[in-house]
């Protein structure tokens, strides 16, 4: 056994196998001593701090809060690899200052997340969850078998979808919308041109869209982007879909708009605090479809994410370039 092997902490069990068969962690085990968290749920701040004190590498999940205090308490940490595309749970500034490279898993989850966004869009437009409840709860009775105004929802064809954020997932949602005969408008902070999408200023996208789907990353500039003012700019018949991060939407303002009829419906896979609090007003609204942060939750996608996160950590520990790195300036500097 070679001496001085780095130590890697993996904060949760990962799905899947290595491409060559065997455990998904095998490529990492070749170069590091791996310690996998086996406790219930996520490790939590204290356990993470303890586990990381002696570790050079961390493979984390989006439920792990990797903040400045944690980073500063882990003198040996060199590489953080998150099994997620979003990295808002990691203090990137603190990591970069310490020369810690941070990897993520873009690309492999694009289609799964775009599929879920579109599924949510359809579910909200066609009131699928309300219909399901109606049947299960015994309201579908002989005297109300079918009537012309039963469960009327929104059409997709000929309607306008507004995509906020035109990265890979936003663009994949735009392609799906084209297949449904929708016009697609979009907004991105860089205002770059994207094929099949009419790029407009944010207020224009909000005002023109029948559906608005959120695909920006959560950062200081996007926190609360869809607040009272943005919601007021939307059509009262519009539907909001969020599969990005909860903090981008002001949930109180959204709940109020949905309850008052200022907005037709919403479909949400992500929330400012997860799990969604029992007292959240969103739970009581019939015109909201709720999902438990499952955008990338397919067997194939989660396995690909796990493999990519493992490869990123392995590369970082070996001093090689990561397949996906969110702070490449750290490597260029060293
Ligand atoms: C999921 O939300 C991810 O960031 O991968």
């Amino acid at each position: 056994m070679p001496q001085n092997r780095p130590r890697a902490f993996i904060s949760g069990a990962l799905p899947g196998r290595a491409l060559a068969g065997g455990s998904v962690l095998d490529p990492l085990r070749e170069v590091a001593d791996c310690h996998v968290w086996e406790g219930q749920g996520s490790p939590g701040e204290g356990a993470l701090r303890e586990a990381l004190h002696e570790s050079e590498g961390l493979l984390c999940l989006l439920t792990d809060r990797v903040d400045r205090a944690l980073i500063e308490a882990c003198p040996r940490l060199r590489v953080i690899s998150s099994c997620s595309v979003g990295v808002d749970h990691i203090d990137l500034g603190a990591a970069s200052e310490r020369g810690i490279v941070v990897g993520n898993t873009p690309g492999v989850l694009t289609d799964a997340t775009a599929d879920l966004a579109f599924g949510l869009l359809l579910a909200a437009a066609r009131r699928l969850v309300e219909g399901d409840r109606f049947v299960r709860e015994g309201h579908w009775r002989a005297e109300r078998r079918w009537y012309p105004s039963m469960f009327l929802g929104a059409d997709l064809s000929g309607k306008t979808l507004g995509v906020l954020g035109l990265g890979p997932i936003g663009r994949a949602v735009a392609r799906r919308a084209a297949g449904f005969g929708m016009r697609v408008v979009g907004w991105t902070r860089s205002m770059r041109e994207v094929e099949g999408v009419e790029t407009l200023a944010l207020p224009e996208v909000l005002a023109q869209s029948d559906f608005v789907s959120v695909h920006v990353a959560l950062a200081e500039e996007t926190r609360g982007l869809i607040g009272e003012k943005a919601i007021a700019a939307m059509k009262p018949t519009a539907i909001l879909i969020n599969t990005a991060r909860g903090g981008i939407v002001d949930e109180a303002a959204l709940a109020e708009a949905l309850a008052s009829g200022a907005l037709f419906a919403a479909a949400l896979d992500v929330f400012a605090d997860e799990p969604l609090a029992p007292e959240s007003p969103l739970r009581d609204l019939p015109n909201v479809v709720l999902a438990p942060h499952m955008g990338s939750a397919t067997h194939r996608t989660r396995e690909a994410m796990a493999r990519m996160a493992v490869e990123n950590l392995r590369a970082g520990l070996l001093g090689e370039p990561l397949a996906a790195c969110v702070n490449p300036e750290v490597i260029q500097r060293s």
Side-chain angles (χ1 to χ4, degrees):
M1 177 76 65
Q3 291 299 301
N4 302 327
R5 277 159 59 88
R7 180 187 149 103
F9 178 66
I10 295 97
S11 75
L14 299 174
R17 314 185 71 73
L19 279 178
S23 157
V24 71
L25 284 179
D26 286 352
L28 192 56
R29 287 205 171 99
E30 284 169 14
V31 303
D33 291 333
C34 295
H35 299 263
V36 182
W37 171 251
E38 282 172 357
Q40 285 260 309
S42 321
E45 197 192 323
L48 258 184
R49 193 179 276 240
E50 200 181 311
L52 284 181
H53 191 68
E54 296 297 316
S55 297
E56 277 87 358
L58 165 66
L59 196 159
C60 65
L61 306 179
L62 56 80
T63 43
D64 301 314
R65 199 173 149 69
V66 186
D67 57 13
R68 181 174 286 276
L70 179 68
I71 287 170
E72 283 174 358
C74 304
R76 303 175 71 137
L77 197 58
R78 297 192 272 126
V79 192
I80 300 172
S81 171
S82 187
C83 189
S84 64
V85 66
V87 286
D88 48 286
H89 54 297
I90 301 172
D91 187 329
L92 291 182
S96 297
E97 276 170 36
R98 270 274 318 279
I100 297 172
V101 278
V102 180
N104 68 339
T105 62
V108 292
L109 46 62
T110 298
D111 282 327
T113 308
D115 287 346
L116 190 91
F118 222 83
L120 288 174
L121 183 155
L122 279 164
R126 299 305 302 272
R127 304 173 62 185
L128 273 176
V129 177
E130 278 181 84
D132 178 274
R133 256 186 237 131
F134 183 79
V135 176
R136 284 177 201 275
E137 291 173 3
H139 304 295
W140 196 29
R141 294 192 288 268
E143 66 277 16
R144 304 176 82 198
R145 190 160 68 99
W146 191 94
Y147 49 95
S149 60
M150 192 175 175
F151 281 110
L152 300 187
D155 284 291
L156 270 64
S157 65
K159 296 291 186 67
T160 299
L161 168 68
V163 180
L164 306 186
L166 293 167
I169 300 173
R171 297 200 302 271
V173 169
R175 287 195 295 278
R176 282 154 178 76
F180 278 78
M182 302 176 86
R183 167 184 175 237
V184 185
V185 298
W187 170 79
T188 180
R189 276 184 288 162
S190 66
M191 289 304 274
R192 70 183 150 131
E193 295 292 314
V194 169
E195 202 191 318
V197 180
E198 211 179 307
T199 310
L200 301 172
L202 181 59
E204 278 304 304
V205 171
L206 295 171
Q208 292 189 21
S209 298
D210 300 294
F211 299 86
V212 173
S213 193
V214 181
H215 300 287
V216 290
L218 177 61
E220 277 326 299
E221 315 78 67
T222 57
R223 191 176 292 282
L225 181 73
I226 305 300
E228 207 177 327
K229 197 166 145 224
I231 293 170
M234 291 168 68
K235 298 180 184 182
T237 49
I239 296 177
L240 177 74
I241 302 103
N242 188 7
T243 51
R245 282 294 183 271
I248 299 160
V249 174
D250 176 339
E251 285 168 11
L254 176 64
E256 207 172 300
L258 290 163
S260 70
L263 204 61
F264 179 66
L268 309 170
D269 183 45
V270 287
F271 303 90
D273 288 312
E274 296 179 0
L276 184 63
E279 62 276 12
S280 166
L282 292 167
R283 288 181 183 259
D284 298 325
L285 294 166
N287 49 346
V288 186
V289 178
L290 300 171
H293 202 146
M294 53 196 264
S296 62
T298 70
H299 292 287
R300 187 179 72 187
T301 297
R302 285 283 162 83
E303 289 180 16
M305 289 167 70
R307 276 197 291 271
M308 191 166 180
V310 164
E311 287 301 338
N312 275 340
L313 186 50
R314 178 189 154 104
L317 290 175
L318 290 173
E320 294 170 358
L322 276 58
C325 179
V326 290
N327 60 348
E329 68 278 5
V330 168
I331 301 171
Q332 281 145 21
R333 243 185 9 226
S334 62

